[in-house]
Amino acid sequence: MTQLASAFADLPMPVLELSAPGTAQAANTPAALWLAERGMAAGGRLTDLFPEPGAERLEAIFAGADWEPQAFPVRVLGEDHPAVLQCAPRAGGGLWLFVMRLSEAMPVAFADQLDRLEILSQMIDAARDACWCIDFLDPVDLRCSEEEIVDQVFRNRSRWRACNDAMAALYAVPADQDFNTQPVSRYFPETPVNRAMIRDLVRTGYRLDGAQAIDQRHDGTPMLVENDFRALIRDDQLIRLWGTTRDIGPSRERERAISAEAEVMRDILGAVPDPIFVLSETGTILATNAAADRALGGLVLLGEPFDSLAATRHAFERLCSVALEDSEEETELALREPDQPRAAWLFRVTLMPEGPPRYVLRGRRKTARRRLSAGDLA
């Protein structure tokens, strides 16, 4: 036990000394007796005294993430009665923690609120989505013009609050640093793109989903993200923003790559003289080339079932069977062309190797054999 602080010797409540992250030692006699009853005469971990939400909040206050700590209620592990905690800075660094243990059981409604707080905190901490919250130490005056509001969002004093591990991982914050203690502007800088996003937030009444921004990782690398926003507003003042963030850079790269590949494929298919059809796993016509459109001119093909084009029964089923056999043999089917109800076609079918099942058909009209005359045989 540390030397008892004379200033707290006569206080009836336990006073703890927080001089190292996550640990507590007695600073007066009631605290020493309380800890000794719990088998912690030499001090111990905050997580052995309070549930995770309360212990983590104390650690955040210790680290400087909560610059204006207020008294807040917590449960005490192993006790029926709750407590109210109040922090004060120590002259030599760290904190004094005043533990006001309540003598009566917690009202049911209050207990339910604490339960709900603990559950929500655990859900956010365990979430795979990056969850964040920005507190404005200088609230944003929403009675100002739109541009002034946007200015205040970026320039008023603010801090991160209750951001989860997924948020820290998304922004590549080193493991030995707490995301909640970092400057907001380090990850959410004032840029034309980000100002436009906040402008959209103002225009939509401070509730916005799928808003794109260009944030920065811990090392300053730009990152294209998508945000969902919610807000706490009191008396025409923006107090808090919170929501979720997703890195959409990789998906955008995939979209661009797929688009470029599709463009190349369209160019290639456009130059193929034989009709080409691309079918979905259910047999819907997804794409055709120019040769197919010319051969079946006047028919609506895209979005239609291939079986509605075929005069042969169960045509798509037959093509699927051939594709699974990986056969190079041509499959004969009858198609309904504009000028004849049953035109004979030959198809080679291939199942695309990657992605969702897609069938590529390369077809040609079957030509009738000409009977040989006597002159031909001579």
Side-chain angles (χ1 to χ4, degrees):
M1 183 176 73
T2 61
Q3 183 178 1
L4 298 182
S6 59
F8 309 133
D10 296 332
L11 289 180
M13 70 184 68
V15 180
L16 302 177
E17 176 187 330
L18 309 185
S19 56
T23 62
Q25 291 178 302
N28 68 352
T29 299
L33 295 173
W34 183 50
L35 292 182
E37 292 172 359
R38 304 175 67 85
M40 302 167 62
R45 298 177 302 178
L46 292 173
T47 52
D48 291 331
L49 293 172
F50 312 111
E52 284 188 10
E56 289 177 356
R57 183 168 181 181
L58 288 172
E59 291 187 32
I61 295 172
F62 183 92
D66 197 331
W67 302 332
E68 299 175 359
Q70 303 291 325
F72 59 95
V74 296
R75 293 184 181 277
V76 178
L77 294 176
E79 297 187 12
D80 294 331
H81 297 167
V84 175
L85 304 184
Q86 174 70 60
C87 298
R90 289 178 70 242
L95 298 169
W96 299 117
L97 177 62
F98 301 87
V99 183
M100 292 167 273
R101 297 156 74 198
L102 303 182
S103 59
E104 296 182 2
M106 192 182 307
V108 174
F110 192 35
D112 288 344
Q113 289 296 321
L114 268 185
D115 283 341
R116 185 180 182 189
L117 177 63
E118 290 178 14
I119 292 169
L120 289 174
S121 177
Q122 291 166 3
M123 289 173 63
I124 291 172
D125 289 342
R128 292 187 297 174
D129 292 334
C131 302
W132 55 269
C133 176
I134 297 174
D135 270 352
F136 289 98
L137 302 176
D138 298 324
V140 176
D141 187 353
L142 303 184
R143 295 168 297 182
C144 298
S145 68
E146 182 180 277
E147 286 306 306
E148 288 174 319
I149 292 173
V150 174
D151 289 341
Q152 289 183 66
V153 167
F154 288 100
R155 296 172 192 174
N156 286 16
R157 289 189 308 140
S158 61
R159 62 178 174 181
W160 296 110
R161 186 75 176 271
C163 300
N164 65 355
D165 290 341
M167 186 74 174
L170 178 62
Y171 288 82
V173 178
D176 61 346
Q177 298 190 38
D178 184 355
F179 186 95
N180 293 285
T181 65
Q182 304 295 316
V184 172
S185 59
R186 178 167 193 165
Y187 308 103
F188 182 47
E190 182 179 1
T191 65
V193 172
N194 293 351
R195 284 183 64 90
M197 181 184 66
I198 297 299
R199 198 175 294 116
D200 289 341
L201 178 65
V202 174
R203 293 172 181 175
T204 56
Y206 302 93
R207 184 185 179 96
L208 183 61
D209 292 331
Q212 293 182 16
I214 298 179
D215 286 3
Q216 292 182 166
R217 299 187 191 275
H218 188 79
D219 62 3
T221 305
M223 175 174 58
L224 180 63
V225 299
E226 185 178 77
N227 295 289
D228 296 337
F229 280 93
R230 299 296 183 268
L232 172 62
I233 297 172
R234 290 192 186 127
D235 300 326
D236 292 324
Q237 290 187 321
L238 177 60
I239 307 297
R240 181 175 299 143
L241 286 174
W242 74 90
T244 57
T245 296
R246 296 167 293 280
D247 180 6
I248 60 173
S251 63
R252 283 301 175 86
E253 287 298 325
R254 286 194 296 271
E255 288 175 9
R256 282 193 284 267
I258 292 171
S259 178
E261 184 178 350
E263 192 66 32
V264 171
M265 289 301 296
R266 278 194 293 269
D267 292 341
I268 293 173
L269 292 178
V272 174
D274 292 333
I276 301 290
F277 303 83
V278 180
L279 309 184
S280 73
E281 59 183 325
T282 60
T284 301
I285 301 174
L286 300 177
T288 58
N289 68 347
D293 294 338
R294 286 193 298 269
L296 300 168
L299 293 180
V300 177
L301 301 177
L302 297 184
E304 295 296 319
F306 183 79
D307 280 345
S308 67
L309 173 66
T312 303
R313 295 182 60 188
H314 308 300
F316 177 64
E317 185 178 324
R318 289 181 57 186
L319 292 171
C320 289
S321 298
V322 173
L324 293 175
E325 294 170 2
D326 198 20
S327 173
E328 289 295 324
E329 295 294 325
E330 291 182 310
T331 301
E332 182 173 344
L333 299 173
L335 299 188
R336 297 185 177 92
E337 294 190 12
D339 55 349
Q340 53 182 317
R342 293 184 63 87
W345 282 64
L346 297 173
F347 287 97
R348 283 194 174 91
V349 56
T350 303
L351 179 62
M352 296 179 68
E354 296 181 359
R358 297 287 186 267
Y359 299 91
V360 180
L361 312 182
R362 183 166 182 166
R364 63 184 179 91
R365 286 192 182 90
K366 182 178 181 181
T367 55
R369 292 183 178 180
R370 183 171 62 87
R371 290 185 177 182
L372 296 179
S373 64
D376 293 327
L377 295 175

